[in-house]
Amino acid sequence: MTALSLPDARALVAAAMTSCGHSAEAAETIADHLVDCELRGLSFGGLARALSIAERIRTTEAPPRPIRIVAETPVSATVDGGDQVGYLVGTHALRLAMAKARAQGIAVVGAHNTWYTGMFSYYLEKAAAAGLAGMIAGSGPAVVAPHGGTEARFGTNPIAFGFPATPTPVIWDIGTSAVMYGEVRLKARLGEKLAPGQAYDAAGAPTLDPAAALGGAFGVWGAHKGSGLALVVQLLGMMTGAAADPPGVSDCGFFVVLVDPGVLTDPDDYRRRVAAFAESVRATRPVEDGHAVRMPFDRSASRRDETLRRGAIDVPEAVVAALRKEAAGG
């Protein structure tokens, strides 16, 4: 592992993203998202993701097009991402949804023709800080088998909910696959194995080989219940205009709904009541010999606070070396 200071980590990602064609502003947007993943201990969505972005850009013949709104009402919009990376498209969609929710009380924004939209809690934290509650769901290429099957039909299909609260928001953010795409790609890059029961090869046999899993299918999270949720997320993504099964890493759907609690109740009182309820959940009597009950976002936020105090992150040496090569022009 290589210890990188947070400024050095951010600068390295930004340099790599600029080298593969992004503007300085776009590179900073991507770097902020990836470093936040590292702060929370989600390394598969962190600096290693910058390598996947650069590889995707190098292997795509047609250049990306500008992000544009293709349909709009006072409370909704459909965004064509122009095959831009999702960190940029997701940020655009979120800002649009936040503006509409502030003005109208509710907003729904769908984006398609994008890829790698990242950690949905990243977006929902920004919405919650503005006093908005919301949901984000994202579909993608078929890499996950439905419960009882071994052939890919779903994307990894994350879904997240966020609620404003004083002093910290309540956020629940999950993927509906047994293992996330970025985690499989990182293990393949580092020569590591998957855990048993996470994936199948192309013939439908269980596999620990991430390369074989990428050519086969990942398992679904939560058995038949998770499989049903994955199906719903795929359909929500398709509502944005995204394909049911796009080729390669492309045309992910990004579906955002934001609500101003003030259209239904006193917003300040709501934030206080959400916080009080969260505390009551944390105060639940634990099972014998169990740990204290946590709210879904507690571990991630705590890890980020600890890493910020440390001021540095640990990144695999192979990832740092590859990023430095990208930053130098590949």
Side-chain angles (χ1 to χ4, degrees):
M1 288 288 193
T2 298
L4 291 177
S5 72
L6 299 182
D8 285 350
R10 188 180 300 273
L12 182 58
V13 173
M17 294 297 92
T18 302
S19 180
C20 65
H22 291 104
S23 69
E25 181 182 3
E28 286 295 335
T29 297
I30 297 168
D32 189 67
H33 198 136
L34 301 193
V35 170
D36 193 55
C37 286
E38 291 283 0
L39 292 176
R40 300 193 206 176
L42 302 173
S43 58
F44 64 85
L47 269 61
R49 176 57 60 83
L51 298 176
S52 297
I53 294 171
E55 290 164 359
R56 166 60 159 76
I57 291 172
R58 280 202 307 270
T59 56
T60 302
E61 293 184 6
R65 301 175 302 282
I67 300 168
R68 63 191 182 97
I69 298 172
V70 296
E72 188 172 18
T73 75
V75 297
S76 68
T78 302
V79 176
D80 182 337
D83 203 38
Q84 300 267 5
V85 69
Y87 302 102
L88 306 179
V89 178
T91 297
H92 184 93
L94 179 74
R95 288 172 178 166
L96 191 58
M98 288 175 65
K100 289 179 179 292
R102 288 193 191 103
Q104 303 295 334
I106 189 169
V108 55
V109 175
H112 63 274
N113 199 12
T114 186
W115 43 278
Y116 291 158
T117 47
M119 199 169 41
F120 290 174
S121 53
Y122 177 88
Y123 304 106
L124 288 171
E125 272 195 284
K126 297 181 183 300
L132 302 170
M135 179 199 77
I136 302 178
S139 64
V143 294
V144 178
H147 179 60
T150 61
E151 292 180 304
R153 292 293 184 271
F154 306 142
T156 55
N157 291 11
I159 185 168
F161 296 82
F163 302 88
T166 303
T168 57
V170 172
I171 294 176
W172 184 61
D173 182 0
I174 65 161
T176 55
S177 55
V179 61
M180 296 306 292
Y181 183 83
E183 189 173 357
V184 179
R185 286 292 302 268
L186 180 58
K187 286 184 178 294
R189 194 182 300 279
L190 299 177
E192 298 176 355
K193 297 295 185 183
L194 298 174
Q198 290 185 329
Y200 307 95
D201 64 19
T207 183
L208 305 182
D209 181 0
L214 290 167
F218 308 162
V220 74
W221 165 84
H224 67 284
K225 294 182 180 180
S227 189
L229 186 56
L231 171 65
V232 169
V233 172
Q234 197 79 17
L235 297 177
L236 290 173
M238 290 166 61
M239 197 184 298
T240 71
D245 182 13
V249 180
S250 69
D251 199 20
C252 293
F254 187 78
F255 181 87
V256 185
V257 177
L258 295 182
V259 179
D260 180 352
V263 301
L264 298 172
T265 187
D266 179 271
D268 294 330
D269 180 59
Y270 179 71
R271 286 194 291 270
R272 287 191 293 268
R273 289 190 292 119
V274 170
F277 183 69
E279 285 305 313
S280 75
V281 172
R282 294 185 183 97
T284 304
R285 181 176 60 244
V287 297
E288 187 176 354
D289 298 326
H291 298 288
V293 175
R294 290 190 302 263
M295 291 293 290
F297 195 59
D298 285 356
R299 178 184 291 176
S300 176
S302 176
R303 177 68 177 268
R304 179 169 58 193
D305 289 344
E306 291 172 5
T307 310
L308 284 170
R309 285 193 292 270
R310 181 188 174 207
I313 55 176
D314 294 322
V315 184
E317 293 177 6
V319 171
V320 174
L323 275 176
R324 286 173 174 160
K325 183 178 179 181
E326 287 290 348

